[in-house]
Amino acid sequence: MTPEQIKLVRDSWQHIEPMEEQVADYFYKTLFELDPSVRPLFKGDIKTQGKKLMEMMGTAVSLLNRNDTLLPIVMKLGERHRRYQVKATHYETVGSALLNTLQAGLGDAFTEDVEEAWTEVYGDLSATMIEAANNSTRPILHIV
């Protein structure tokens, strides 16, 4: 990711954060519509899960230029997701749900550049999580 992309992600996230409960609800609604087979993977209260999602996203966004701190967090998250039976194919659906949610939340502010920046960051984060879940020691995170 370039510094400009990091700025776009951070700036757009600032618009999303005040609506975090609604954003999380929309995200999970979209995710379950895109792939109903993932619903059973969520055992607990979805509101609590949404809060965790938004906290993790906020943490990741704030650490985008600090690989030394972000990388271990993302790798541990990938390892945990393996224990929850998350498959590599699920990450693509999650990415689609994320972009759909960001587009709905940002409206006209969801420009092509913003979409590209989020696609890049999600691609790097999800690839790192998948690698960690597969017990690989080769991190993929390419954020500058």
Side-chain angles (χ1 to χ4, degrees):
M1 281 193 83
T2 68
E4 294 80 18
Q5 288 175 314
I6 291 172
K7 182 174 177 8
L8 286 170
V9 167
R10 285 185 173 156
D11 289 350
S12 60
W13 187 251
Q14 286 181 342
H15 293 286
I16 293 294
E17 275 186 312
M19 309 177 287
E20 65 182 22
E21 188 173 334
Q22 297 90 342
V23 169
D25 289 345
Y26 189 91
F27 169 81
Y28 285 111
K29 179 180 177 267
T30 302
L31 178 63
F32 300 148
E33 286 174 1
L34 290 173
D35 186 355
S37 74
V38 301
R39 181 63 182 102
L41 298 176
F42 296 88
K43 308 284 188 224
D45 176 58
I46 204 67
K47 294 280 186 194
T48 302
Q49 181 62 39
K51 192 169 188 62
K52 290 178 184 179
L53 169 72
M54 297 305 288
E55 287 173 8
M56 177 48 84
M57 292 293 296
T59 297
V61 167
S62 71
L63 295 174
L64 285 177
N65 59 346
R66 298 198 40 219
N67 282 355
D68 58 325
T69 305
L70 180 57
L71 186 59
I73 293 169
V74 174
M75 292 179 78
K76 284 181 185 175
L77 187 60
E79 292 166 2
R80 276 199 317 269
H81 278 76
R82 179 186 67 227
R83 291 194 306 269
Y84 301 142
Q85 306 302 313
V86 174
K87 307 288 184 228
T89 57
H90 293 142
Y91 287 91
E92 186 175 328
T93 308
V94 169
S96 295
L98 175 63
L99 291 175
N100 185 304
T101 300
L102 291 167
Q103 182 177 23
L106 293 170
D108 291 341
F110 190 72
T111 64
E112 285 184 34
D113 288 341
V114 170
E115 180 178 12
E116 184 179 310
W118 275 100
T119 300
E120 181 81 19
V121 73
Y122 180 75
D124 284 350
L125 294 173
S126 63
T128 299
M129 290 174 66
I130 291 166
E131 285 295 316
N134 291 333
N135 293 317
S136 174
T137 58
R138 194 186 94 225
I140 295 182
L141 206 55
H142 298 294
I143 299 168
V144 183

